[in-house]
Amino acid sequence: MPQSKGYAATDSKTPLAPFSFSRREPGPTELVIDILFCGVCHSDLHMSRNEWGQAVYPMVPGHEIVGRVTAAGKDVKKFKAGDIAAVGVIVDSCRHCAPCNRGEEHFCAEGATLTYANKDRVDGSITMGGYSSNYVVDERFAHTVPSNLDLAAVAPLLCAGITTFSPLRHWNVGPGKKVGIIGLGGLGHMGLKFAHSFGAQTIQLTTSLKKKDDATKLGADDVILSTDDAQMKKHAGSFDFILDTASAPHAIEPYLNLLKQDGTMTLVGLPDKPPSVSIFSLISKRASVAGSMIGGMPETQEMLDYCGKNNITADVEVIPIQQINDAFERMLKQDVKYRFVIDMSSLK
Ligand code: NAP
Ligand code: ZN
Ligand code: ZN
């Protein structure tokens, strides 16, 4: 059985600490991946502190994984030992329901298996994530990585990338559309890059004035300080689409005021408290509030290939795993530029 070293949360209050465990033997269509880099998603923090009530301990977080294949089962077609492979938020699904057959495994009717703190469909154990030395996964849930991209900066694409790419595509963001991105963090900065790359007029909404110049460099046509009522008023009724990536509870009404008639605000951020919406602000312009969650396997590969062709990656601060607890604290202070990525060689 592959042995793994990692960092785990043992309860909702204690910092992550070194943890050793074993992974199951790979099956004929499975890979063993030696993890090189793993991104640090705000969901890892929500989960390890049990903010959504879904925690299972010990918990090894991490679902933005890039690594090298060290073993491939006899029926594996896409990869061979030595190849680079990437794994995101889900690692299995029923593989026969209508959403799975459409390649929307994240909407699996029987529930997809998450990369960590979830019941493994194969042996019933609890999945352990990418803050660790290796992973065992079916090739259907692993992606190839364009060879021109920096691997540390690719890791965040596996969650922050697909979670923003998918709704921007679904709601047809492109030329002629005015699009707002709420929150300049891991998800937000990828949303900004994609919306800009798709040709939309892209406006960054931030609560952090000091991020203004960075937002412009990352592709924003304009930046709105969302705590400044005058700036918000100036843009009232002008947006086609808004993507909300904020991680902390916040009022969404001020952002709904920014939408045009028939505009849509899509929530991807998952604060631990739900927002409240005045029905009047929706009916007065037939506005929609929607939600979106990661993406299926084909779309995740499409996103990676798009990034390869357009030279898009995350802006990352690479850290050794020993700094993970500091990274969590800095993330809470909105002090991330714009994704922490763990260099897994620091585990050795
Ligand atoms: P992050 O890097 O910590 O960024 C979150 C950003 O939200 C902050 O940088 C900040 O941006 C903004 N923010 C924080 N508090 C705010 C407030 N009160 N009002 C407005 N904006 C606020 O987090 P992340 O990794 O991007 O994740 C963002 C959220 O998405 C998390 O809740 C995460 O769990 C969720 N998520 C969802 C999915 C999905 O499939 N739907 C996938 C991945 C993550 P400014 O400083 O610019 O204001
Ligand atoms: Zn994530
Ligand atoms: Zn299914």
Side-chain angles (χ1 to χ4, degrees):
M1 284 211 288
Q3 297 302 303
S4 196
K5 278 200 294 188
Y7 266 52
T10 45
D11 60 51
S12 64
K13 305 233 156 35
T14 316
L16 271 61
F19 177 69
S20 295
F21 59 103
S22 53
R23 297 205 180 264
R24 60 179 166 70
E25 286 298 343
T29 57
E30 293 189 320
L31 318 168
V32 183
I33 299 171
D34 223 346
I35 300 178
L36 298 170
F37 297 102
C38 185
V40 179
C41 179
H42 206 113
S43 300
D44 300 342
L45 192 161
H46 291 305
M47 276 294 285
S48 42
R49 298 187 179 180
N50 201 18
E51 293 174 6
W52 300 329
Q54 296 171 8
V56 185
Y57 300 107
M59 181 195 303
V60 177
H63 56 209
E64 294 185 334
I65 297 169
V66 172
R68 194 173 294 284
V69 176
T70 53
K74 67 177 176 44
D75 297 331
V76 169
K77 296 194 173 61
K78 267 195 308 191
F79 300 93
K80 57 181 184 332
D83 288 350
I84 295 295
V87 177
V89 179
I90 65 175
V91 290
D92 207 351
S93 67
C94 84
R95 310 185 202 183
H96 55 67
C97 70
C100 283
N101 285 336
R102 284 197 300 269
E104 295 187 309
E105 297 89 343
H106 53 315
F107 299 138
C108 174
E110 296 179 16
T113 306
L114 303 178
T115 310
Y116 63 86
N118 222 213
K119 194 169 165 192
D120 189 318
R121 281 184 147 77
V122 178
D123 69 355
S125 64
I126 296 298
T127 54
M128 298 285 176
Y131 294 5
S132 63
S133 49
N134 55 24
Y135 208 94
V136 174
V137 67
D138 190 281
E139 67 166 337
R140 175 171 176 157
F141 297 88
H143 309 281
T144 58
V145 175
S147 59
N148 57 317
L149 301 179
D150 175 70
L151 294 182
V154 162
L157 301 178
L158 277 300
C159 176
I162 185 60
T163 302
T164 51
F165 183 92
S166 182
L168 292 171
R169 279 286 199 234
H170 182 79
W171 277 277
N172 298 314
V173 161
K177 296 276 174 74
K178 180 168 172 181
V179 172
I181 308 289
I182 301 175
L184 191 57
L187 266 59
H189 93 293
M190 289 312 308
L192 174 55
K193 288 186 187 202
F194 285 134
H196 172 73
S197 171
F198 296 167
Q201 183 192 357
T202 308
I203 317 294
Q204 181 67 47
L205 292 128
T206 180
T207 60
S208 310
L209 183 59
K210 59 181 188 308
K211 295 182 182 173
K212 191 169 195 285
D213 291 345
D214 280 3
T216 307
K217 278 188 214 131
L218 290 164
D221 296 296
D222 204 350
V223 183
I224 301 175
L225 185 63
S226 52
T227 50
D228 179 340
D229 289 344
Q231 290 185 39
M232 292 290 272
K233 258 199 195 114
K234 207 177 99 191
H235 289 265
S238 67
F239 282 79
D240 297 283
F241 183 76
I242 297 176
L243 188 67
D244 184 350
T245 78
S247 54
H250 58 287
I252 65 170
E253 290 292 330
Y255 300 107
L256 288 175
N257 285 338
L258 298 176
L259 290 176
K260 273 182 186 165
Q261 185 194 313
D262 293 317
T264 299
M265 173 163 169
T266 295
L267 313 178
V268 289
L270 287 163
D272 56 0
K273 292 193 183 57
S276 81
V277 182
S278 146
I279 299 170
F280 285 102
S281 55
L282 300 177
I283 62 171
S284 59
K285 49 184 158 189
R286 202 163 48 195
S288 305
V289 176
S292 187
M293 180 179 80
I294 47 172
M297 298 306 103
E299 194 176 36
T300 303
Q301 188 64 58
E302 183 195 331
M303 178 272 312
L304 285 164
D305 296 343
Y306 180 89
C307 288
K309 280 198 193 83
N310 295 281
N311 219 10
I312 293 175
T313 50
D315 285 33
V316 300
E317 179 174 340
V318 178
I319 57 166
I321 199 159
Q322 293 76 10
Q323 284 176 18
I324 184 59
N325 294 303
D326 294 340
F328 274 8
E329 291 311 317
R330 282 183 56 196
M331 196 148 64
L332 282 175
K333 291 187 200 134
Q334 300 172 214
D335 174 26
V336 189
K337 288 190 164 183
Y338 278 91
R339 193 58 135 194
F340 291 114
V341 171
I342 304 166
D343 178 349
M344 223 45 78
S345 67
S346 59
L347 261 178
K348 292 182 181 131

